[in-house]
């Protein structure tokens, strides 16, 4: 897209995603024009050779040189236009995104109980499946008491351990936060925790322990 096409779309932009896309279009077009300018700009130092296309024009006619100079002028004008459009696209993205947020927050708040219920139901099914699997694994662990050989092959055991790595993976949420114990007496201790008499920090998920010098896990 050239700058005129980008400007036309920017004038009727509806979403922040469209504004960001046009911002990237500006960047791409500027890079394209700068690359073309490098092909036809005369060398700034007399001892250096001109680009091949400029040299061919010099060996052709004054009109050929003027044509390249006119193209450079057009490139400069369009790059200046694109730089201004980049600013407008960025501002449009910010403005439209704020409008989207203002419209979206009430809807998100309305959907929140249903979404939380669905996650809790999914975790309940997950816990049930995990308990069933753990029962089977605990039974396999009793092979020695039963006087049997180890019941899994290396590949089967590795697959169980890969699954355990997936079970160990930290999954978290990003709730909105506000450091205000007076207004949010129930929420505050769920969001922060003390680590000295006068200091506290945001609660974080637990970090799996690793032993110094442990061998890296092969995936």
């Amino acid at each position: 897209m050239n700058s005129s096409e980008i400007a036309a779309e920017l004038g009727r932009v509806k979403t922040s995603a469209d504004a960001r896309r046009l911002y990237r279009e500006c960047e791409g077009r500027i890079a394209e024009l700068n690359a073309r300018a490098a092909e036809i700009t005369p060398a700034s130092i007399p001892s250096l050779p001109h680009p091949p296309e400029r040299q061919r024009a010099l060996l052709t006619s004054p009109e050929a040189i003027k044509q390249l100079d006119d193209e450079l002028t057009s490139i400069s004008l369009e790059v200046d236009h694109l730089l201004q459009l980049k600013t407008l696209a960025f501002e449009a993205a910010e403005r439209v995104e704020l409008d989207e947020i203002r419209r979206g927050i009430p809807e998100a708040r309305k959907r929140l109980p249903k979404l939380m219920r669905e996650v809790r139901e999914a975790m309940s099914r997950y816990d049930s499946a995990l308990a069933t699997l753990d029962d089977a694994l605990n039974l396999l662990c009793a092979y020695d008491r039963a006087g049997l050989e180890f019941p899994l092959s290396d590949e089967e055991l590795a697959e169980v351990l890969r699954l355990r790595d997936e079970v160990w993976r930290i999954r978290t949420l990003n709730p909105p936060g506000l450091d205000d114990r007076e207004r949010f007496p129930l929420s505050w201790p769920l969001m922060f925790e003390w680590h000295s008499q006068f200091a506290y920090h945001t609660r974080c998920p637990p970090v799996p322990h690793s032993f110094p010098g442990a061998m890296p896990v092969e995936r």
Side-chain angles (χ1 to χ4, degrees):
M1 296 176 70
N2 61 34
S3 65
S4 297
E5 294 168 332
I6 293 172
E9 284 205 24
L10 190 56
R12 54 178 183 268
V13 70
K14 298 295 185 184
T15 67
S16 58
D18 283 341
R20 292 194 184 91
R21 175 180 58 81
L22 293 173
Y23 183 93
R24 294 191 296 271
E25 288 283 354
C26 288
E27 289 186 321
R29 179 61 174 167
I30 289 171
E32 178 185 328
L33 291 171
N34 286 338
R36 175 56 182 164
E39 295 174 351
I40 60 176
T41 300
S44 57
I45 301 175
S47 60
L48 294 177
H50 294 306
E53 192 164 347
R54 171 67 62 163
Q55 291 186 35
R56 287 194 295 271
L58 287 170
L59 296 174
T60 302
S61 66
E63 291 76 14
I65 297 173
K66 183 178 184 304
Q67 185 175 350
L68 293 183
D69 289 342
D70 289 345
E71 185 177 354
L72 282 172
T73 300
S74 297
I75 287 174
S76 179
L77 289 172
E78 186 173 357
V79 168
D80 287 344
H81 188 202
L82 288 163
L83 290 172
Q84 295 177 71
L85 290 175
K86 273 184 65 176
T87 300
L88 293 177
F90 179 83
E91 292 172 349
E94 291 290 299
R95 183 178 63 255
V96 175
E97 185 173 42
L98 285 176
D99 289 339
E100 291 169 347
I101 290 171
R102 292 186 184 102
R103 292 194 306 269
I105 282 178
E107 178 62 25
R109 184 180 180 185
K110 181 180 177 181
R111 296 171 60 214
L112 195 60
K114 176 177 180 292
L115 296 174
M116 293 173 62
R117 184 173 64 253
E118 289 175 349
V119 169
R120 285 196 168 102
E121 289 171 353
M123 288 192 298
S124 177
R125 292 192 298 271
Y126 169 76
D127 287 340
S128 176
L130 198 61
T132 301
L133 173 59
D134 220 22
D135 287 343
L137 292 174
N138 286 333
L139 186 60
L140 293 175
C141 289
Y143 73 94
D144 197 32
R145 287 176 57 200
L148 301 174
E149 295 292 327
F150 188 77
L152 300 178
S153 68
D154 182 37
E155 180 54 39
E156 289 170 332
L157 178 58
E159 190 57 35
V160 171
L161 293 170
R162 292 188 191 103
L163 179 58
R164 185 181 67 172
D165 279 351
E166 294 178 33
V167 171
W168 279 351
R169 185 180 305 148
I170 294 172
R171 292 169 171 85
T172 186
L173 293 173
N174 186 32
L178 189 65
D179 189 356
D180 189 335
R181 277 176 285 178
E182 298 299 323
R183 290 176 56 199
F184 297 92
L186 297 178
S187 303
W188 196 92
L190 295 170
M191 185 165 295
F192 301 98
E193 59 186 33
W194 294 100
H195 57 86
S196 71
Q197 185 177 358
F198 302 106
Y200 55 91
H201 65 274
T202 303
R203 290 181 65 212
C204 299
V207 178
H209 185 77
S210 61
F211 296 96
M215 293 179 62
V217 175
E218 293 184 3
R219 301 294 183 187

